[in-house]
Amino acid sequence: MNPLEALGLLLALLAGTTVLGLLWRARQGRVTQISGQIIRQADVAATTPFGAAATLLQFSTELCARCPGTRRLLGAVADSRPGVVHVDVDLTHRADLANRYSILQTPTTLILDGAGRVRARVGGAPNRAAIAAALDDFEPGSRRSTTLGSSYVNR
């Protein structure tokens, strides 16, 4: 391979990697509405009772750099809304939970309604406004309509 071909190949790999990195970053913190399974407090071995209106179920690990900031953000959102509770589950020694709930990165947050049904999922560090909008969507009497598959993009 001559030097010009090698340089072209290197530039193509660099461009491809950059595009993939930008796509991955754009998906971080995105709140995606889903209709999922019901999760009970005992299913995740949580010591904190789930909320009457909603639960912000955060999955984290000991070595996660973004988890402490996410924990503070979700705690503040939960404290500002009646009936909403933040529960943090450490997956460091619980690979079974990571497999059961398809957790591929930390932090990952599942937003559960009052019955414990998964209503939304956030991969990566969430955005406060997007979390609030997701919680507003399934409150009784909400003026917004929810559509499965719609999402709020972290901007």
Side-chain angles (χ1 to χ4, degrees):
M1 178 180 290
N2 69 39
L4 191 56
E5 289 175 342
L7 181 62
L9 179 62
L10 181 64
L11 290 175
L13 287 173
L14 181 62
T17 304
T18 301
V19 167
L20 288 175
L22 290 173
L23 288 173
W24 177 79
R25 185 173 178 162
R27 294 189 49 83
Q28 294 300 300
R30 184 180 193 156
V31 176
T32 305
Q33 290 185 345
I34 58 174
S35 179
Q37 65 193 51
I38 292 178
I39 299 175
R40 306 271 183 240
Q41 180 182 347
D43 294 340
V44 292
T47 57
T48 305
F50 284 5
T55 301
L56 303 172
L57 182 60
Q58 175 187 346
F59 292 99
S60 57
T61 58
E62 290 176 358
L63 299 177
C64 173
R66 292 183 167 184
C67 291
T70 299
R71 188 175 302 115
R72 285 189 299 274
L73 174 99
L74 295 176
V77 170
D79 289 345
S80 70
R81 291 175 171 262
V84 177
V85 173
H86 170 244
V87 176
D88 188 9
V89 176
D90 187 354
L91 296 177
T92 303
H93 304 291
R94 295 297 311 264
D96 60 315
L97 292 178
N99 290 333
R100 182 186 308 167
Y101 300 113
S102 302
I103 308 299
L104 301 177
Q105 66 178 345
T106 56
T108 292
T109 304
L110 301 179
I111 302 175
L112 313 177
D113 63 16
R117 181 171 303 282
V118 179
R119 299 290 298 266
R121 181 182 186 103
V122 183
N127 174 292
R128 180 185 298 265
I131 294 290
L135 289 170
D136 289 343
D137 266 359
F138 60 86
E139 283 183 356
S142 173
R143 287 180 279 150
R144 293 190 207 231
S145 63
T146 58
T147 309
L148 294 179
S150 67
S151 61
Y152 302 97
V153 180
N154 178 14
R155 292 179 191 228

